[in-house]
């Protein structure tokens, strides 16, 4: 289970992909798990754990229902047991809603996501699959 890992928002996806694909295997032992330099998404794992994900900045609009804040360079991503319950928990403790829980069948038949901002404004994706 991918408990928590970063997802970087790339303006030049192909260049960022080539960089991370070249350095992650040697630096941290991460291997490409999915995606290509054509994007808009790629991820690298160490063993069975997510280590880093990369997404084209313009693709985030479809995820969140709006463009990322000008200062967003990345987001946290967590796999959770129940996206709706996790979303509600975050809101009860001061999180700000970005995108309500929704099915993402284009990512997989059982994929669900929600997006919140923590009290400091950091973007966090909750996902289950």
């Amino acid at each position: 289970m991918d408990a928590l890992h970063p997802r970087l928002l790339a303006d030049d996806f192909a260049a960022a992909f080539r960089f991370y694909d070249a350095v992650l295997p040697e630096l941290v032992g991460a291997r490409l798990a999915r995606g290509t330099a054509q994007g808009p998404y790629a991820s690298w794992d160490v063993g069975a754990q997510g280590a880093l994900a990369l997404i084209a900045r313009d693709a985030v609009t479809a995820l969140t229902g709006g463009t990322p804040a000008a200062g967003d360079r990345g987001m946290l991503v967590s796999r959770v047991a129940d996206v709706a319950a996790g979303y509600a928990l975050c809101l009860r403790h001061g999180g700000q809603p970005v995108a309500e829980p929704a099915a993402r069948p284009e990512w997989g038949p059982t994929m669900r996501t929600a997006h919140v901002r923590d009290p400091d404004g950091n973007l966090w994706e909750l996902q289950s699959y």
Side-chain angles (χ1 to χ4, degrees):
M1 175 175 280
D2 299 331
L4 182 67
H5 65 274
R7 179 182 292 157
L8 302 178
L9 284 60
D11 291 315
D12 184 343
F13 186 90
F17 176 93
R18 288 189 300 272
F19 174 79
Y20 287 109
D21 200 45
V23 302
L24 287 174
E26 187 173 336
L27 289 178
V28 299
R31 299 286 179 235
L32 181 64
R34 59 196 66 80
T36 68
Q38 287 71 45
Y41 179 83
S43 64
W44 291 262
D45 293 352
V46 173
Q49 293 293 310
L52 178 72
L54 185 65
I55 191 166
R57 178 178 288 280
D58 57 0
V60 175
T61 301
L63 295 175
T64 63
T67 56
D72 283 341
R73 297 301 304 162
M75 71 175 81
L76 296 173
V77 180
S78 291
R79 187 172 178 190
V80 299
D82 182 326
V83 170
Y87 180 79
L89 176 69
C90 289
L91 298 185
R92 281 197 311 274
H93 291 280
Q96 296 300 309
V98 175
E100 293 182 356
R104 303 277 180 213
E106 66 277 15
W107 291 4
T110 62
M111 176 66 83
R112 290 184 52 75
T113 67
H115 294 82
V116 298
R117 288 194 183 276
D118 71 16
D120 202 39
N122 298 298
L123 188 59
W124 192 2
E125 178 179 288
L126 307 175
Q127 58 178 232
S128 66
Y129 50 93

